[in-house]
Amino acid sequence: MILSQLNGITIRIMKESDYGIVKPFMRDYFHYDEPMGIGLQEPIHLQNEAEVDKEYLSVIKQGLSIVVFDENNKNLLVGIAVAEKMDPKIMEKQHKEAEEMEPNALGRSRKMVAKVERDANIFERCGVSTYMSLIAISVHASMRGKGLLAQLSMCLLNLGRSRGFPLFIGCSSSYYSARTAMNQGLECIHSQAYADYKDEQGRPVFNPPAPHTHMRVVAAKL
């Protein structure tokens, strides 16, 4: 299903068959570009690989994820957004799994996201029993700063609205994605400073470069 087609940029719903190109795209333009992965020496894209592949394929089946292609550049994949349905039962399961993960890069990042989601108290704060939850969003390096992230985000919100979700939530680890979201009218309902998220020895778990100082939970009523 095509969501937008303008100036050679086609945005459509992601299909399971797209995962073969989405997976390497995330390796090249998401895992090591988002603040928790910048400068990372561990191969996070290979950690728990079979399980993660299964998780992503299950999410894609929900029909809430998006791919962007540039027809002006040999139909190159230039953007992705992966989103899923969230409710209290799913969140509880995910948080339990995060706590049980080994302390590798993937486990550390999922533990922080779980803490931020718990502290945000989303269901009670926003008065909903379900919402559309953003897992990952990224655009090709060659397309950054050209408004594609905002266009992708708008299509994602419209998709969530058309599926009857009352709320959209994203945990933005990046300053730039959070800024784009808030420029589009989303509200920051909670934030966690990376410097204050520490391990048992009192050391920050993540030390991303400026301007990435906080993970922010952004919300939009749909």
Side-chain angles (χ1 to χ4, degrees), residues 182-203:
M182 289 186 282
N183 284 344
Q184 289 185 299
L186 278 76
E187 177 188 0
C188 178
I189 62 172
H190 179 71
S191 65
Q192 167 70 56
Y194 287 111
D196 294 336
Y197 181 69
K198 301 178 179 180
D199 62 19
E200 294 177 355
Q201 285 73 46
R203 300 170 300 194

Side-chain angles (χ1 to χ4, degrees), residues 19-33:
Y19 188 60
I21 56 173
V22 168
K23 182 178 178 178
F25 182 94
M26 293 182 69
R27 175 198 63 208
D28 295 339
Y29 304 109
F30 176 71
H31 292 306
Y32 303 99
D33 284 2

Side-chain angles (χ1 to χ4, degrees), residues 35-187:
M36 292 186 289
I38 294 174
L40 189 67
Q41 298 302 310
E42 297 176 51
I44 189 171
H45 68 285
L46 298 177
Q47 292 174 348
N48 304 69
E49 187 175 13
E51 182 180 341
V52 170
D53 286 345
K54 184 178 178 181
E55 291 172 355
Y56 274 121
L57 286 168
S58 177
V59 167
I60 292 169
K61 283 182 182 178
Q62 296 179 28
L64 300 173
S65 301
I66 292 174
V67 284
V68 187
F69 293 96
D70 183 0
E71 296 174 6
N72 302 310
N73 190 6
K74 300 179 181 178
N75 217 33
L76 179 70
L77 177 64
V78 293
I80 61 103
V82 182
E84 66 178 339
K85 173 187 176 181
M86 184 59 64
D87 62 31
K89 187 175 180 180
I90 295 171
M91 180 178 283
E92 181 181 6
K93 178 178 181 291
Q94 290 183 355
H95 289 182
K96 183 176 184 295
E97 291 172 347
E99 290 305 314
E100 294 172 350
M101 290 184 72
E102 59 185 293
N104 56 19
L106 181 64
R108 293 192 300 272
S109 64
R110 290 198 177 183
K111 283 182 174 68
M112 182 173 185
V113 170
K115 180 187 185 303
V116 170
E117 287 179 338
R118 281 195 301 270
D119 292 348
N121 198 25
I122 297 165
F123 296 106
E124 289 76 10
R125 182 195 294 261
C126 300
V128 298
S129 59
T130 186
Y131 63 84
M132 184 181 190
S133 176
L134 179 65
I135 298 173
I137 188 167
S138 184
V139 299
H140 193 281
S142 67
M143 299 294 287
R144 292 173 185 171
K146 298 182 179 181
L148 183 59
L149 184 61
Q151 188 180 358
L152 177 56
S153 300
M154 188 58 63
C155 284
L156 198 60
L157 294 175
N158 288 338
L159 178 59
R161 190 175 293 115
S162 72
R163 297 295 175 84
F165 286 98
L167 184 73
F168 171 87
I169 291 286
C171 279
S172 296
S173 60
S174 164
Y175 165 82
Y176 300 113
S177 61
R179 181 182 66 180
T180 297
M182 289 186 282
N183 284 344
Q184 289 185 299
L186 278 76
E187 177 188 0

